[in-house]
Amino acid sequence: MKKRCFVLFIICFVFLAAGCGAGEQNDNVVIVYNWGEYVDPEVLELFEAETGIRVIYDEFETNETMFPKVEAGAAEYDVVCPSDYMISKMIQKDMLMELDMEHLPNAQQNIGTQYWQQSEGFDPGNRYSVPYCWGTVGILYNKTMVEEPITSWAQLWDEKYRDEILMQDSVRDAFMVAEKLYGYSMNTTSEQELLAARDALIRQKPLVQAYVVDQVRDKMIGGEAAIGVIYSGEAIYTQYENNSLEYVIPEEGTNVWIDSWVILKNAPHKENAERFIDFMCRGDIALKNFEYITYSTPNEAAKAMIEDEAVRNSPIAFPDLSRYDNLETYIYLGEEGDALYNELWKEVKTY
């Protein structure tokens, strides 16, 4: 879910609906819709050089901004990289093409078994998606700016950190924090539990400096905030830039997420899309992407090639998930569930 959107690198061009006809006139392209700064630009250049297929590349910031554009057919994308629960939603709405795994040998050989198993929760039978990146959501804190180690979501409600707290500007991630605080499932659709989570977020709001997405990373590196809710891949990057920063999975549990490649059912360039996904699953390519974006890779061949032992064994990049019994993956909650979350999130934001 994910992610980084600093200094946008324009690889080919960002196209609008009016420009999609170019894709129809030229079959030697693949049209990709991905999170911002979620691939090494050199990887796209390598793909173009090796295959002769031109990459048309567009970026989104959240699943919720991506989905309506894809659903409306505003642009004829081939390959998209949604998160777990959004993939479930797209499957239910018959928006995805079933994958032919014989055309994806690198995916079969290199993606670890545990990631295929985790994906079963939102893609039964692994019929529609190929894991690309994964991670956790946790708390990043500046050891020079807090009075004690941060171990709990409850500390995000501590008055002494007023105006020093960064929350994710994401309905599911924000509610997850409050739900885990109370011991609820982050996939609850209980109105009583959701109202309690809403009320907790409203109580917290005066303490929050900002609701942000990508800016958590930069603000924490610059010492502009003491505590922030962040994705683990971002946390790895921040520690390269500021060694006072510490990442923790709170004791109440959290979200384990997977972002995966899918091919849209109406993809105009299906074969090129398959070649693109399989290229991204090659060990050396997955390693190159990991080193650039710092989000954990499910690619076992790539992980084995990481030279820095500290990174290869990092508890942030590759945590031992068996140590936790309170982790969950987001699932699609249906249209009524989505509507309820969105309405309550509006109430939090406008309170």
Side-chain angles (χ1 to χ4, degrees):
M1 290 183 285
K2 339 168 214 103
K3 324 324 182 112
R4 294 190 292 164
C5 236
F6 60 98
V7 188
L8 293 179
F9 186 98
I10 305 303
I11 298 137
C12 296
F13 59 89
V14 176
F15 64 98
L16 302 175
C20 289
E24 297 171 357
Q25 297 167 10
N26 182 0
D27 289 335
N28 205 33
V29 301
V30 61
I31 308 172
V32 180
Y33 199 21
N34 194 11
W35 300 87
E37 283 292 324
Y38 213 35
V39 68
D40 184 342
E42 290 186 6
V43 163
L44 301 184
E45 294 172 3
L46 285 170
F47 176 78
E48 291 184 329
E50 290 189 22
T51 65
I53 298 169
R54 185 165 60 92
V55 179
I56 300 176
Y57 195 83
D58 200 358
E59 297 178 337
F60 60 87
E61 189 174 30
T62 70
N63 286 291
E64 286 68 31
T65 57
M66 171 277 294
F67 178 80
K69 185 174 181 182
V70 171
E71 184 181 37
E76 291 188 335
Y77 298 111
D78 297 304
V79 180
V80 186
C81 188
S83 301
D84 31 49
Y85 70 95
M86 189 57 69
I87 292 171
S88 177
K89 181 175 182 176
M90 296 171 84
I91 291 171
Q92 289 190 31
K93 289 185 172 291
D94 196 28
M95 295 170 63
L96 302 182
M97 182 180 295
E98 188 163 348
L99 300 175
D100 185 342
M101 295 306 294
E102 290 187 4
H103 296 169
L104 303 169
N106 287 321
Q108 292 187 75
Q109 295 168 13
N110 295 335
I111 303 300
T113 301
Q114 64 175 318
Y115 307 106
W116 289 117
Q117 292 173 343
Q118 186 177 337
S119 298
E120 290 269 3
F122 56 88
D123 178 12
N126 301 126
R127 296 168 58 197
Y128 298 97
S129 63
V130 174
Y132 175 53
C133 291
W134 71 281
T136 58
V137 179
I139 298 175
L140 186 71
Y141 66 97
N142 191 315
K143 292 178 288 186
T144 69
M145 298 174 68
V146 302
E147 297 182 8
E148 69 283 303
I150 302 297
T151 60
S152 168
W153 292 120
Q155 288 166 285
L156 296 177
W157 275 259
D158 194 322
E159 180 69 32
K160 65 174 169 277
Y161 299 122
R162 176 181 287 269
D163 204 36
E164 294 287 350
I165 297 169
L166 301 173
M167 286 287 288
Q168 285 288 322
D169 191 9
S170 160
V171 55
R172 293 299 296 270
D173 289 329
F175 268 84
M176 179 274 292
V177 172
E179 288 160 349
K180 285 298 185 183
L181 175 70
Y182 287 134
Y184 304 151
S185 167
M186 64 187 196
N187 293 308
T188 183
T189 54
S190 161
E191 186 170 356
Q192 181 179 356
E193 292 179 350
L194 287 172
L195 288 173
R198 176 204 63 185
D199 292 346
L201 291 171
I202 288 174
R203 287 197 306 275
Q204 183 206 33
K205 191 172 180 181
L207 309 181
V208 175
Q209 179 190 119
Y211 296 94
V212 289
V213 181
D214 307 303
Q215 299 94 325
V216 175
R217 179 199 65 249
D218 299 324
K219 282 178 172 289
M220 292 299 295
I221 290 172
E224 296 177 43
I227 307 174
V229 179
I230 198 168
Y231 303 108
S232 54
E234 298 280 76
I236 296 169
Y237 176 82
T238 65
Q239 290 184 328
Y240 291 147
E241 303 295 320
N242 185 337
N243 59 17
S244 295
L245 299 176
E246 190 75 29
Y247 177 81
V248 62
I249 295 175
E251 58 194 18
E252 299 92 348
T254 192
N255 166 228
V256 178
W257 54 267
I258 293 183
D259 293 339
S260 301
W261 298 114
V262 299
I263 299 176
L264 296 180
K265 192 168 187 178
N266 60 352
H269 312 102
K270 174 182 177 291
E271 291 183 6
N272 292 351
E274 291 174 332
R275 292 184 70 180
F276 179 84
I277 292 174
D278 201 53
F279 182 82
M280 299 297 281
C281 292
R282 212 169 76 187
D284 60 322
I285 296 301
L287 175 63
K288 192 171 180 61
N289 274 324
F290 168 72
E291 292 175 339
Y292 181 83
I293 67 176
T294 69
Y295 277 92
S296 303
T297 176
N299 193 300
E300 298 291 358
K303 182 182 177 184
M305 289 189 283
I306 297 174
E307 295 183 1
D308 189 330
E309 186 176 352
V311 173
R312 193 169 61 249
N313 298 321
S314 166
I316 302 177
F318 303 103
D320 178 5
L321 299 183
S322 66
R323 294 177 50 228
Y324 305 91
D325 59 3
N326 48 13
L327 305 177
E328 295 182 84
T329 298
Y330 289 129
I331 61 173
Y332 174 50
L333 303 174
E335 291 186 6
E336 289 186 8
D338 273 359
L340 180 56
Y341 269 80
N342 289 331
E343 179 60 33
L344 295 178
W345 181 231
K346 276 185 193 176
E347 293 177 17
V348 173
K349 295 295 290 292
T350 59
Y351 184 81

